[in-house]
PDB file of all heavy atoms in Angstrom:
ATOM      1  N   LEU A   1       0.108 -13.486  -7.536  1.00 90.00           N
ATOM      2  CA  LEU A   1       0.256 -12.875  -6.221  1.00 90.00           C
ATOM      3  C   LEU A   1       1.123 -11.579  -6.358  1.00 90.00           C
ATOM      4  O   LEU A   1       0.819 -10.581  -5.722  1.00 90.00           O
ATOM      5  CB  LEU A   1       0.969 -13.802  -5.221  1.00 90.00           C
ATOM      6  CG  LEU A   1       0.294 -15.176  -5.035  1.00 90.00           C
ATOM      7  CD1 LEU A   1       1.088 -15.978  -3.971  1.00 90.00           C
ATOM      8  CD2 LEU A   1      -1.142 -15.041  -4.625  1.00 90.00           C
ATOM      9  N   VAL A   2       2.104 -11.600  -7.229  1.00 87.00           N
ATOM     10  CA  VAL A   2       2.936 -10.385  -7.501  1.00 87.00           C
ATOM     11  C   VAL A   2       2.085  -9.341  -8.113  1.00 87.00           C
ATOM     12  O   VAL A   2       2.113  -8.177  -7.734  1.00 87.00           O
ATOM     13  CB  VAL A   2       4.135 -10.747  -8.409  1.00 87.00           C
ATOM     14  CG1 VAL A   2       4.877  -9.434  -8.824  1.00 87.00           C
ATOM     15  CG2 VAL A   2       5.077 -11.711  -7.696  1.00 87.00           C
ATOM     16  N   ASN A   3       1.288  -9.713  -9.099  1.00 82.00           N
ATOM     17  CA  ASN A   3       0.385  -8.711  -9.774  1.00 82.00           C
ATOM     18  C   ASN A   3      -0.647  -8.146  -8.832  1.00 82.00           C
ATOM     19  O   ASN A   3      -1.111  -7.009  -9.009  1.00 82.00           O
ATOM     20  CB  ASN A   3      -0.313  -9.438 -10.999  1.00 82.00           C
ATOM     21  CG  ASN A   3       0.627  -9.776 -12.101  1.00 82.00           C
ATOM     22  OD1 ASN A   3       1.730  -9.190 -12.184  1.00 82.00           O
ATOM     23  ND2 ASN A   3       0.231 -10.752 -12.910  1.00 82.00           N
ATOM     24  N   ASP A   4      -1.083  -8.973  -7.875  1.00 77.00           N
ATOM     25  CA  ASP A   4      -2.068  -8.440  -6.889  1.00 77.00           C
ATOM     26  C   ASP A   4      -1.367  -7.571  -5.815  1.00 77.00           C
ATOM     27  O   ASP A   4      -2.078  -7.109  -4.872  1.00 77.00           O
ATOM     28  CB  ASP A   4      -2.770  -9.633  -6.177  1.00 77.00           C
ATOM     29  CG  ASP A   4      -3.774 -10.292  -7.173  1.00 77.00           C
ATOM     30  OD1 ASP A   4      -4.163  -9.669  -8.209  1.00 77.00           O
ATOM     31  OD2 ASP A   4      -4.148 -11.446  -6.877  1.00 77.00           O
ATOM     32  N   GLY A   5      -0.078  -7.498  -5.783  1.00 75.00           N
ATOM     33  CA  GLY A   5       0.620  -6.663  -4.783  1.00 75.00           C
ATOM     34  C   GLY A   5       0.728  -7.337  -3.419  1.00 75.00           C
ATOM     35  O   GLY A   5       1.012  -6.658  -2.499  1.00 75.00           O
ATOM     36  N   LEU A   6       0.607  -8.624  -3.352  1.00 83.00           N
ATOM     37  CA  LEU A   6       0.691  -9.349  -2.091  1.00 83.00           C
ATOM     38  C   LEU A   6       2.144  -9.779  -1.791  1.00 83.00           C
ATOM     39  O   LEU A   6       2.493  -9.889  -0.599  1.00 83.00           O
ATOM     40  CB  LEU A   6      -0.186 -10.576  -2.118  1.00 83.00           C
ATOM     41  CG  LEU A   6      -1.690 -10.250  -2.165  1.00 83.00           C
ATOM     42  CD1 LEU A   6      -2.473 -11.644  -2.267  1.00 83.00           C
ATOM     43  CD2 LEU A   6      -2.163  -9.502  -0.987  1.00 83.00           C
ATOM     44  N   VAL A   7       2.949 -10.074  -2.754  1.00 88.00           N
ATOM     45  CA  VAL A   7       4.335 -10.579  -2.535  1.00 88.00           C
ATOM     46  C   VAL A   7       5.214  -9.920  -3.589  1.00 88.00           C
ATOM     47  O   VAL A   7       4.818  -9.317  -4.575  1.00 88.00           O
ATOM     48  CB  VAL A   7       4.437 -12.139  -2.735  1.00 88.00           C
ATOM     49  CG1 VAL A   7       3.494 -12.824  -1.747  1.00 88.00           C
ATOM     50  CG2 VAL A   7       4.086 -12.537  -4.165  1.00 88.00           C
ATOM     51  N   GLN A   8       6.555 -10.053  -3.291  1.00 87.00           N
ATOM     52  CA  GLN A   8       7.570  -9.580  -4.205  1.00 87.00           C
ATOM     53  C   GLN A   8       8.647 -10.611  -4.351  1.00 87.00           C
ATOM     54  O   GLN A   8       9.099 -11.185  -3.339  1.00 87.00           O
ATOM     55  CB  GLN A   8       8.192  -8.226  -3.661  1.00 87.00           C
ATOM     56  CG  GLN A   8       9.250  -7.659  -4.518  1.00 87.00           C
ATOM     57  CD  GLN A   8       8.710  -7.192  -5.868  1.00 87.00           C
ATOM     58  OE1 GLN A   8       7.785  -6.412  -5.910  1.00 87.00           O
ATOM     59  NE2 GLN A   8       9.338  -7.632  -6.938  1.00 87.00           N
ATOM     60  N   ARG A   9       9.124 -10.793  -5.609  1.00 89.00           N
ATOM     61  CA  ARG A   9      10.228 -11.733  -5.877  1.00 89.00           C
ATOM     62  C   ARG A   9      11.533 -10.923  -5.659  1.00 89.00           C
ATOM     63  O   ARG A   9      11.660  -9.832  -6.154  1.00 89.00           O
ATOM     64  CB  ARG A   9      10.209 -12.293  -7.211  1.00 89.00           C
ATOM     65  CG  ARG A   9       9.307 -13.495  -7.472  1.00 89.00           C
ATOM     66  CD  ARG A   9       9.627 -14.111  -8.818  1.00 89.00           C
ATOM     67  NE  ARG A   9       8.773 -15.203  -9.153  1.00 89.00           N
ATOM     68  CZ  ARG A   9       7.637 -15.097  -9.844  1.00 89.00           C
ATOM     69  NH1 ARG A   9       7.235 -13.896 -10.250  1.00 89.00           N
ATOM     70  NH2 ARG A   9       6.884 -16.257 -10.021  1.00 89.00           N
ATOM     71  N   TYR A  10      12.526 -11.572  -4.999  1.00 88.00           N
ATOM     72  CA  TYR A  10      13.907 -11.024  -4.922  1.00 88.00           C
ATOM     73  C   TYR A  10      14.813 -12.056  -5.446  1.00 88.00           C
ATOM     74  O   TYR A  10      14.911 -13.146  -4.916  1.00 88.00           O
ATOM     75  CB  TYR A  10      14.210 -10.617  -3.526  1.00 88.00           C
ATOM     76  CG  TYR A  10      13.357  -9.451  -3.019  1.00 88.00           C
ATOM     77  CD1 TYR A  10      12.239  -9.625  -2.272  1.00 88.00           C
ATOM     78  CD2 TYR A  10      13.721  -8.133  -3.353  1.00 88.00           C
ATOM     79  CE1 TYR A  10      11.455  -8.612  -1.837  1.00 88.00           C
ATOM     80  CE2 TYR A  10      12.953  -7.077  -2.878  1.00 88.00           C
ATOM     81  CZ  TYR A  10      11.826  -7.303  -2.105  1.00 88.00           C
ATOM     82  OH  TYR A  10      11.042  -6.237  -1.731  1.00 88.00           O
ATOM     83  N   HIS A  11      15.480 -11.771  -6.540  1.00 85.00           N
ATOM     84  CA  HIS A  11      16.354 -12.692  -7.255  1.00 85.00           C
ATOM     85  C   HIS A  11      17.397 -13.282  -6.281  1.00 85.00           C
ATOM     86  O   HIS A  11      18.109 -12.557  -5.601  1.00 85.00           O
ATOM     87  CB  HIS A  11      17.063 -12.028  -8.428  1.00 85.00           C
ATOM     88  CG  HIS A  11      17.927 -12.976  -9.193  1.00 85.00           C
ATOM     89  ND1 HIS A  11      17.399 -13.997  -9.908  1.00 85.00           N
ATOM     90  CD2 HIS A  11      19.283 -13.043  -9.347  1.00 85.00           C
ATOM     91  CE1 HIS A  11      18.413 -14.662 -10.511  1.00 85.00           C
ATOM     92  NE2 HIS A  11      19.578 -14.131 -10.157  1.00 85.00           N
ATOM     93  N   GLY A  12      17.431 -14.582  -6.230  1.00 87.00           N
ATOM     94  CA  GLY A  12      18.371 -15.272  -5.379  1.00 87.00           C
ATOM     95  C   GLY A  12      17.997 -15.386  -3.914  1.00 87.00           C
ATOM     96  O   GLY A  12      18.732 -16.020  -3.114  1.00 87.00           O
ATOM     97  N   LYS A  13      16.921 -14.759  -3.527  1.00 90.00           N
ATOM     98  CA  LYS A  13      16.451 -14.744  -2.079  1.00 90.00           C
ATOM     99  C   LYS A  13      15.144 -15.426  -1.894  1.00 90.00           C
ATOM    100  O   LYS A  13      14.945 -16.128  -0.938  1.00 90.00           O
ATOM    101  CB  LYS A  13      16.394 -13.284  -1.577  1.00 90.00           C
ATOM    102  CG  LYS A  13      17.764 -12.547  -1.544  1.00 90.00           C
ATOM    103  CD  LYS A  13      17.586 -11.195  -0.944  1.00 90.00           C
ATOM    104  CE  LYS A  13      18.923 -10.494  -0.888  1.00 90.00           C
ATOM    105  NZ  LYS A  13      18.825  -9.107  -0.315  1.00 90.00           N
ATOM    106  N   GLY A  14      14.189 -15.233  -2.834  1.00 92.00           N
ATOM    107  CA  GLY A  14      12.921 -15.925  -2.659  1.00 92.00           C
ATOM    108  C   GLY A  14      11.753 -14.938  -2.859  1.00 92.00           C
ATOM    109  O   GLY A  14      11.883 -13.829  -3.424  1.00 92.00           O
ATOM    110  N   VAL A  15      10.583 -15.378  -2.414  1.00 94.00           N
ATOM    111  CA  VAL A  15       9.346 -14.576  -2.497  1.00 94.00           C
ATOM    112  C   VAL A  15       8.904 -14.157  -1.124  1.00 94.00           C
ATOM    113  O   VAL A  15       8.808 -14.997  -0.227  1.00 94.00           O
ATOM    114  CB  VAL A  15       8.228 -15.404  -3.202  1.00 94.00           C
ATOM    115  CG1 VAL A  15       6.918 -14.596  -3.317  1.00 94.00           C
ATOM    116  CG2 VAL A  15       8.700 -15.834  -4.564  1.00 94.00           C
ATOM    117  N   PHE A  16       8.649 -12.844  -0.980  1.00 92.00           N
ATOM    118  CA  PHE A  16       8.409 -12.306   0.390  1.00 92.00           C
ATOM    119  C   PHE A  16       7.039 -11.588   0.412  1.00 92.00           C
ATOM    120  O   PHE A  16       6.624 -10.935  -0.585  1.00 92.00           O
ATOM    121  CB  PHE A  16       9.524 -11.369   0.845  1.00 92.00           C
ATOM    122  CG  PHE A  16      10.804 -12.056   1.109  1.00 92.00           C
ATOM    123  CD1 PHE A  16      11.679 -12.334   0.055  1.00 92.00           C
ATOM    124  CD2 PHE A  16      11.143 -12.493   2.368  1.00 92.00           C
ATOM    125  CE1 PHE A  16      12.875 -12.984   0.211  1.00 92.00           C
ATOM    126  CE2 PHE A  16      12.350 -13.121   2.622  1.00 92.00           C
ATOM    127  CZ  PHE A  16      13.220 -13.395   1.523  1.00 92.00           C
ATOM    128  N   VAL A  17       6.323 -11.660   1.507  1.00 90.00           N
ATOM    129  CA  VAL A  17       5.047 -11.056   1.699  1.00 90.00           C
ATOM    130  C   VAL A  17       5.231  -9.547   1.912  1.00 90.00           C
ATOM    131  O   VAL A  17       6.095  -9.068   2.695  1.00 90.00           O
ATOM    132  CB  VAL A  17       4.310 -11.632   2.908  1.00 90.00           C
ATOM    133  CG1 VAL A  17       2.962 -10.938   3.122  1.00 90.00           C
ATOM    134  CG2 VAL A  17       4.101 -13.120   2.682  1.00 90.00           C
ATOM    135  N   LEU A  18       4.482  -8.760   1.156  1.00 81.00           N
ATOM    136  CA  LEU A  18       4.515  -7.281   1.265  1.00 81.00           C
ATOM    137  C   LEU A  18       3.524  -6.762   2.296  1.00 81.00           C
ATOM    138  O   LEU A  18       2.527  -7.437   2.723  1.00 81.00           O
ATOM    139  CB  LEU A  18       4.247  -6.667  -0.095  1.00 81.00           C
ATOM    140  CG  LEU A  18       5.184  -6.933  -1.229  1.00 81.00           C
ATOM    141  CD1 LEU A  18       4.581  -6.338  -2.524  1.00 81.00           C
ATOM    142  CD2 LEU A  18       6.549  -6.304  -0.903  1.00 81.00           C
ATOM    143  N   GLU A  19       3.790  -5.514   2.724  1.00 75.00           N
ATOM    144  CA  GLU A  19       2.768  -4.746   3.508  1.00 75.00           C
ATOM    145  C   GLU A  19       1.518  -4.644   2.715  1.00 75.00           C
ATOM    146  O   GLU A  19       1.502  -4.483   1.467  1.00 75.00           O
ATOM    147  CB  GLU A  19       3.263  -3.383   3.834  1.00 75.00           C
ATOM    148  CG  GLU A  19       4.508  -3.370   4.756  1.00 75.00           C
ATOM    149  CD  GLU A  19       4.148  -3.342   6.211  1.00 75.00           C
ATOM    150  OE1 GLU A  19       2.949  -3.426   6.532  1.00 75.00           O
ATOM    151  OE2 GLU A  19       5.054  -3.347   7.043  1.00 75.00           O
ATOM    152  N   THR A  20       0.381  -4.727   3.407  1.00 72.00           N
ATOM    153  CA  THR A  20      -0.911  -4.475   2.720  1.00 72.00           C
ATOM    154  C   THR A  20      -1.040  -3.024   2.320  1.00 72.00           C
ATOM    155  O   THR A  20      -0.757  -2.087   3.098  1.00 72.00           O
ATOM    156  CB  THR A  20      -2.092  -4.811   3.697  1.00 72.00           C
ATOM    157  OG1 THR A  20      -1.980  -6.179   4.087  1.00 72.00           O
ATOM    158  CG2 THR A  20      -3.463  -4.613   2.981  1.00 72.00           C
ATOM    159  N   ALA A  21      -1.290  -2.782   1.072  1.00 72.00           N
ATOM    160  CA  ALA A  21      -1.330  -1.415   0.563  1.00 72.00           C
ATOM    161  C   ALA A  21      -2.486  -0.689   1.118  1.00 72.00           C
ATOM    162  O   ALA A  21      -3.583  -1.193   1.235  1.00 72.00           O
ATOM    163  CB  ALA A  21      -1.468  -1.475  -0.965  1.00 72.00           C
ATOM    164  N   ILE A  22      -2.271   0.568   1.564  1.00 78.00           N
ATOM    165  CA  ILE A  22      -3.307   1.444   2.089  1.00 78.00           C
ATOM    166  C   ILE A  22      -3.936   2.192   0.935  1.00 78.00           C
ATOM    167  O   ILE A  22      -3.293   2.746   0.118  1.00 78.00           O
ATOM    168  CB  ILE A  22      -2.711   2.429   3.100  1.00 78.00           C
ATOM    169  CG1 ILE A  22      -2.174   1.683   4.341  1.00 78.00           C
ATOM    170  CG2 ILE A  22      -3.758   3.444   3.488  1.00 78.00           C
ATOM    171  CD1 ILE A  22      -1.494   2.567   5.330  1.00 78.00           C
ATOM    172  N   ASN A  23      -5.261   2.106   0.837  1.00 76.00           N
ATOM    173  CA  ASN A  23      -6.010   2.745  -0.225  1.00 76.00           C
ATOM    174  C   ASN A  23      -6.183   4.260   0.182  1.00 76.00           C
ATOM    175  O   ASN A  23      -7.079   4.573   0.949  1.00 76.00           O
ATOM    176  CB  ASN A  23      -7.352   2.089  -0.411  1.00 76.00           C
ATOM    177  CG  ASN A  23      -8.026   2.625  -1.649  1.00 76.00           C
ATOM    178  OD1 ASN A  23      -7.484   3.127  -2.558  1.00 76.00           O
ATOM    179  ND2 ASN A  23      -9.351   2.572  -1.652  1.00 76.00           N
ATOM    180  N   TYR A  24      -5.340   5.094  -0.329  1.00 78.00           N
ATOM    181  CA  TYR A  24      -5.381   6.527   0.062  1.00 78.00           C
ATOM    182  C   TYR A  24      -6.114   7.313  -1.038  1.00 78.00           C
ATOM    183  O   TYR A  24      -5.699   7.381  -2.165  1.00 78.00           O
ATOM    184  CB  TYR A  24      -3.970   7.044   0.226  1.00 78.00           C
ATOM    185  CG  TYR A  24      -3.810   8.436   0.701  1.00 78.00           C
ATOM    186  CD1 TYR A  24      -3.898   8.699   2.085  1.00 78.00           C
ATOM    187  CD2 TYR A  24      -3.624   9.476  -0.165  1.00 78.00           C
ATOM    188  CE1 TYR A  24      -3.800   9.987   2.543  1.00 78.00           C
ATOM    189  CE2 TYR A  24      -3.483  10.768   0.314  1.00 78.00           C
ATOM    190  CZ  TYR A  24      -3.537  10.988   1.636  1.00 78.00           C
ATOM    191  OH  TYR A  24      -3.472  12.344   2.128  1.00 78.00           O
ATOM    192  N   THR A  25      -7.191   7.958  -0.587  1.00 76.00           N
ATOM    193  CA  THR A  25      -8.040   8.674  -1.569  1.00 76.00           C
ATOM    194  C   THR A  25      -7.644  10.108  -1.671  1.00 76.00           C
ATOM    195  O   THR A  25      -7.413  10.787  -0.625  1.00 76.00           O
ATOM    196  CB  THR A  25      -9.545   8.560  -1.163  1.00 76.00           C
ATOM    197  OG1 THR A  25      -9.940   7.263  -1.139  1.00 76.00           O
ATOM    198  CG2 THR A  25     -10.408   9.376  -2.113  1.00 76.00           C
ATOM    199  N   ILE A  26      -7.554  10.614  -2.912  1.00 76.00           N
ATOM    200  CA  ILE A  26      -7.248  12.064  -3.147  1.00 76.00           C
ATOM    201  C   ILE A  26      -8.475  12.677  -3.749  1.00 76.00           C
ATOM    202  O   ILE A  26      -8.965  12.274  -4.774  1.00 76.00           O
ATOM    203  CB  ILE A  26      -5.968  12.160  -4.066  1.00 76.00           C
ATOM    204  CG1 ILE A  26      -4.760  11.608  -3.393  1.00 76.00           C
ATOM    205  CG2 ILE A  26      -5.805  13.657  -4.471  1.00 76.00           C
ATOM    206  CD1 ILE A  26      -3.502  11.640  -4.264  1.00 76.00           C
ATOM    207  N   ASP A  27      -8.933  13.781  -3.143  1.00 70.00           N
ATOM    208  CA  ASP A  27     -10.009  14.506  -3.715  1.00 70.00           C
ATOM    209  C   ASP A  27      -9.696  16.001  -3.493  1.00 70.00           C
ATOM    210  O   ASP A  27      -8.616  16.405  -3.099  1.00 70.00           O
ATOM    211  CB  ASP A  27     -11.351  14.126  -3.150  1.00 70.00           C
ATOM    212  CG  ASP A  27     -11.500  14.345  -1.613  1.00 70.00           C
ATOM    213  OD1 ASP A  27     -10.751  15.223  -1.110  1.00 70.00           O
ATOM    214  OD2 ASP A  27     -12.270  13.631  -0.979  1.00 70.00           O
ATOM    215  N   SER A  28     -10.672  16.898  -3.726  1.00 66.00           N
ATOM    216  CA  SER A  28     -10.444  18.319  -3.692  1.00 66.00           C
ATOM    217  C   SER A  28     -10.020  18.865  -2.363  1.00 66.00           C
ATOM    218  O   SER A  28      -9.448  19.903  -2.268  1.00 66.00           O
ATOM    219  CB  SER A  28     -11.670  19.076  -4.228  1.00 66.00           C
ATOM    220  OG  SER A  28     -12.787  18.808  -3.373  1.00 66.00           O
ATOM    221  N   GLN A  29     -10.414  18.141  -1.256  1.00 68.00           N
ATOM    222  CA  GLN A  29     -10.091  18.644   0.062  1.00 68.00           C
ATOM    223  C   GLN A  29      -9.421  17.531   0.970  1.00 68.00           C
ATOM    224  O   GLN A  29      -9.633  17.469   2.181  1.00 68.00           O
ATOM    225  CB  GLN A  29     -11.350  19.179   0.714  1.00 68.00           C
ATOM    226  CG  GLN A  29     -11.951  20.366   0.014  1.00 68.00           C
ATOM    227  CD  GLN A  29     -13.161  20.948   0.759  1.00 68.00           C
ATOM    228  OE1 GLN A  29     -13.067  21.180   1.979  1.00 68.00           O
ATOM    229  NE2 GLN A  29     -14.185  21.164   0.030  1.00 68.00           N
ATOM    230  N   THR A  30      -8.562  16.775   0.382  1.00 64.00           N
ATOM    231  CA  THR A  30      -7.900  15.676   1.078  1.00 64.00           C
ATOM    232  C   THR A  30      -7.037  16.212   2.223  1.00 64.00           C
ATOM    233  O   THR A  30      -6.297  17.103   1.989  1.00 64.00           O
ATOM    234  CB  THR A  30      -7.023  14.841   0.181  1.00 64.00           C
ATOM    235  OG1 THR A  30      -7.885  14.190  -0.817  1.00 64.00           O
ATOM    236  CG2 THR A  30      -6.261  13.786   0.923  1.00 64.00           C
ATOM    237  N   ARG A  31      -7.194  15.653   3.402  1.00 67.00           N
ATOM    238  CA  ARG A  31      -6.313  15.883   4.511  1.00 67.00           C
ATOM    239  C   ARG A  31      -5.750  14.626   4.961  1.00 67.00           C
ATOM    240  O   ARG A  31      -6.442  13.684   5.269  1.00 67.00           O
ATOM    241  CB  ARG A  31      -7.098  16.579   5.682  1.00 67.00           C
ATOM    242  CG  ARG A  31      -7.523  18.076   5.361  1.00 67.00           C
ATOM    243  CD  ARG A  31      -8.202  18.636   6.547  1.00 67.00           C
ATOM    244  NE  ARG A  31      -8.594  20.052   6.318  1.00 67.00           N
ATOM    245  CZ  ARG A  31      -9.271  20.731   7.227  1.00 67.00           C
ATOM    246  NH1 ARG A  31      -9.641  20.181   8.380  1.00 67.00           N
ATOM    247  NH2 ARG A  31      -9.589  21.968   6.952  1.00 67.00           N
ATOM    248  N   PHE A  32      -4.404  14.588   5.105  1.00 72.00           N
ATOM    249  CA  PHE A  32      -3.740  13.286   5.404  1.00 72.00           C
ATOM    250  C   PHE A  32      -4.284  12.699   6.728  1.00 72.00           C
ATOM    251  O   PHE A  32      -4.730  11.558   6.732  1.00 72.00           O
ATOM    252  CB  PHE A  32      -2.228  13.581   5.520  1.00 72.00           C
ATOM    253  CG  PHE A  32      -1.428  12.389   5.977  1.00 72.00           C
ATOM    254  CD1 PHE A  32      -1.003  11.465   5.054  1.00 72.00           C
ATOM    255  CD2 PHE A  32      -1.222  12.110   7.310  1.00 72.00           C
ATOM    256  CE1 PHE A  32      -0.272  10.297   5.399  1.00 72.00           C
ATOM    257  CE2 PHE A  32      -0.417  11.032   7.710  1.00 72.00           C
ATOM    258  CZ  PHE A  32      -0.008  10.114   6.783  1.00 72.00           C
ATOM    259  N   THR A  33      -4.216  13.485   7.807  1.00 70.00           N
ATOM    260  CA  THR A  33      -4.648  12.961   9.089  1.00 70.00           C
ATOM    261  C   THR A  33      -6.057  12.515   9.104  1.00 70.00           C
ATOM    262  O   THR A  33      -6.420  11.359   9.532  1.00 70.00           O
ATOM    263  CB  THR A  33      -4.428  14.025  10.185  1.00 70.00           C
ATOM    264  OG1 THR A  33      -3.019  14.400  10.166  1.00 70.00           O
ATOM    265  CG2 THR A  33      -4.743  13.386  11.583  1.00 70.00           C
ATOM    266  N   GLU A  34      -6.974  13.383   8.614  1.00 74.00           N
ATOM    267  CA  GLU A  34      -8.368  13.077   8.625  1.00 74.00           C
ATOM    268  C   GLU A  34      -8.691  11.781   7.752  1.00 74.00           C
ATOM    269  O   GLU A  34      -9.471  10.952   8.112  1.00 74.00           O
ATOM    270  CB  GLU A  34      -9.122  14.306   8.078  1.00 74.00           C
ATOM    271  CG  GLU A  34     -10.653  14.125   8.113  1.00 74.00           C
ATOM    272  CD  GLU A  34     -11.317  15.407   7.656  1.00 74.00           C
ATOM    273  OE1 GLU A  34     -11.083  16.453   8.269  1.00 74.00           O
ATOM    274  OE2 GLU A  34     -12.067  15.327   6.625  1.00 74.00           O
ATOM    275  N   THR A  35      -8.051  11.708   6.589  1.00 75.00           N
ATOM    276  CA  THR A  35      -8.297  10.615   5.648  1.00 75.00           C
ATOM    277  C   THR A  35      -7.857   9.290   6.268  1.00 75.00           C
ATOM    278  O   THR A  35      -8.628   8.290   6.232  1.00 75.00           O
ATOM    279  CB  THR A  35      -7.518  10.813   4.393  1.00 75.00           C
ATOM    280  OG1 THR A  35      -7.974  11.972   3.723  1.00 75.00           O
ATOM    281  CG2 THR A  35      -7.661   9.581   3.439  1.00 75.00           C
ATOM    282  N   LEU A  36      -6.669   9.249   6.930  1.00 77.00           N
ATOM    283  CA  LEU A  36      -6.204   8.029   7.507  1.00 77.00           C
ATOM    284  C   LEU A  36      -6.992   7.593   8.757  1.00 77.00           C
ATOM    285  O   LEU A  36      -7.292   6.446   9.031  1.00 77.00           O
ATOM    286  CB  LEU A  36      -4.697   8.052   7.786  1.00 77.00           C
ATOM    287  CG  LEU A  36      -3.760   7.690   6.645  1.00 77.00           C
ATOM    288  CD1 LEU A  36      -3.984   6.277   6.257  1.00 77.00           C
ATOM    289  CD2 LEU A  36      -3.894   8.569   5.440  1.00 77.00           C
ATOM    290  N   HIS A  37      -7.358   8.603   9.545  1.00 74.00           N
ATOM    291  CA  HIS A  37      -8.146   8.304  10.739  1.00 74.00           C
ATOM    292  C   HIS A  37      -9.463   7.696  10.393  1.00 74.00           C
ATOM    293  O   HIS A  37      -9.990   6.797  11.070  1.00 74.00           O
ATOM    294  CB  HIS A  37      -8.319   9.569  11.603  1.00 74.00           C
ATOM    295  CG  HIS A  37      -7.083   9.932  12.390  1.00 74.00           C
ATOM    296  ND1 HIS A  37      -7.018  11.001  13.247  1.00 74.00           N
ATOM    297  CD2 HIS A  37      -5.837   9.329  12.431  1.00 74.00           C
ATOM    298  CE1 HIS A  37      -5.806  11.068  13.788  1.00 74.00           C
ATOM    299  NE2 HIS A  37      -5.083  10.081  13.276  1.00 74.00           N
ATOM    300  N   HIS A  38     -10.092   8.213   9.309  1.00 75.00           N
ATOM    301  CA  HIS A  38     -11.408   7.710   8.821  1.00 75.00           C
ATOM    302  C   HIS A  38     -11.211   6.238   8.470  1.00 75.00           C
ATOM    303  O   HIS A  38     -12.195   5.440   8.599  1.00 75.00           O
ATOM    304  CB  HIS A  38     -11.857   8.582   7.662  1.00 75.00           C
ATOM    305  CG  HIS A  38     -13.110   8.092   7.101  1.00 75.00           C
ATOM    306  ND1 HIS A  38     -14.353   8.305   7.738  1.00 75.00           N
ATOM    307  CD2 HIS A  38     -13.443   7.385   5.930  1.00 75.00           C
ATOM    308  CE1 HIS A  38     -15.316   7.776   7.023  1.00 75.00           C
ATOM    309  NE2 HIS A  38     -14.827   7.252   5.909  1.00 75.00           N
TER     310      HIS A  38
END
């Protein structure tokens, strides 16, 4: 689960669920707002 980016271990605290990673594409004409709205 850690390798898949779903959770993170914190020593002495436990295992916690992470935010789902956003797949942000970079190309020759990437625009932040347009990319995320899409």
Side-chain angles (χ1 to χ4, degrees):
L1 305 183
V2 172
N3 292 338
D4 288 343
L6 295 177
V7 301
Q8 179 66 54
R9 278 193 183 94
Y10 293 96
H11 182 68
K13 295 182 179 180
V15 178
F16 293 83
V17 177
L18 294 175
E19 294 273 1
T20 301
I22 294 174
N23 187 28
Y24 185 81
T25 300
I26 295 177
D27 60 26
S28 62
Q29 296 185 48
T30 297
R31 289 182 178 177
F32 176 87
T33 303
E34 184 178 301
T35 298
L36 273 299
H37 284 182
H38 180 73

